[in-house]
Amino acid sequence: MLGEMVIGTLVNIAVILVHLAATFLLVSFVRPLAHRLAAFPRMRLTLALLVTSSVLLIAHLVEVSLWAGVFLYRELVPTLEAAFYSAFVGYTTLGFGDLQQGEHTRLLGPMAAGSGIMMFGWTTALMIFVLQDHMPRLVRHRED
């Protein structure tokens, strides 16, 4: 049990670092883009949301890949496809239950789910930040 907790914690730290890197990438890309498109608030908002969504989607895919790698390495599932499926189901908290985990690895599933919950919350916060940053300019532009 302790071993699974350590592995799960380490993967969660790796997942957090991936999301942090995505956040830093967005901060360094979206702000300069916003300044260049100040005269075009609709395009600015559209591109900011598109870039933000794309970067965060890629981050989530990398994070699921980390979990899939652990599931495959720990022989939780027999194939790479099953590893990704199981990781996606856990990470997104769908929990279909059609893949059963062995008793020696059953703590990894809930840890993947907790990881996904945290990262989707973080993603939501970033999307709201982008909207809050861009919407006032769009409203002011419409009023002019």
Side-chain angles (χ1 to χ4, degrees), residues 68-94:
V70 170
F71 289 177
L72 194 60
Y73 177 75
R74 298 294 293 176
E75 298 178 349
L76 201 86
V77 292
T79 65
L80 182 61
E81 182 180 346
F84 272 94
Y85 175 75
S86 183
F88 265 115
V89 168
Y91 186 83
T92 59
T93 69
L94 288 172

Side-chain angles (χ1 to χ4, degrees), residues 27-100:
V27 168
S28 66
F29 183 78
V30 172
R31 288 284 180 175
L33 176 69
H35 293 299
R36 290 188 187 125
L37 297 174
F40 308 99
R42 285 179 189 229
M43 182 182 294
R44 180 180 181 216
L45 174 62
T46 301
L47 286 175
L49 288 173
L50 183 62
V51 168
T52 301
S53 297
S54 299
V55 167
L56 292 172
L57 174 62
I58 291 167
H60 283 291
L61 292 173
V62 170
E63 293 156 12
V64 168
S65 297
L66 292 171
W67 282 108
V70 170
F71 289 177
L72 194 60
Y73 177 75
R74 298 294 293 176
E75 298 178 349
L76 201 86
V77 292
T79 65
L80 182 61
E81 182 180 346
F84 272 94
Y85 175 75
S86 183
F88 265 115
V89 168
Y91 186 83
T92 59
T93 69
L94 288 172
F96 289 142
D98 54 343
L99 288 174
Q100 297 298 317

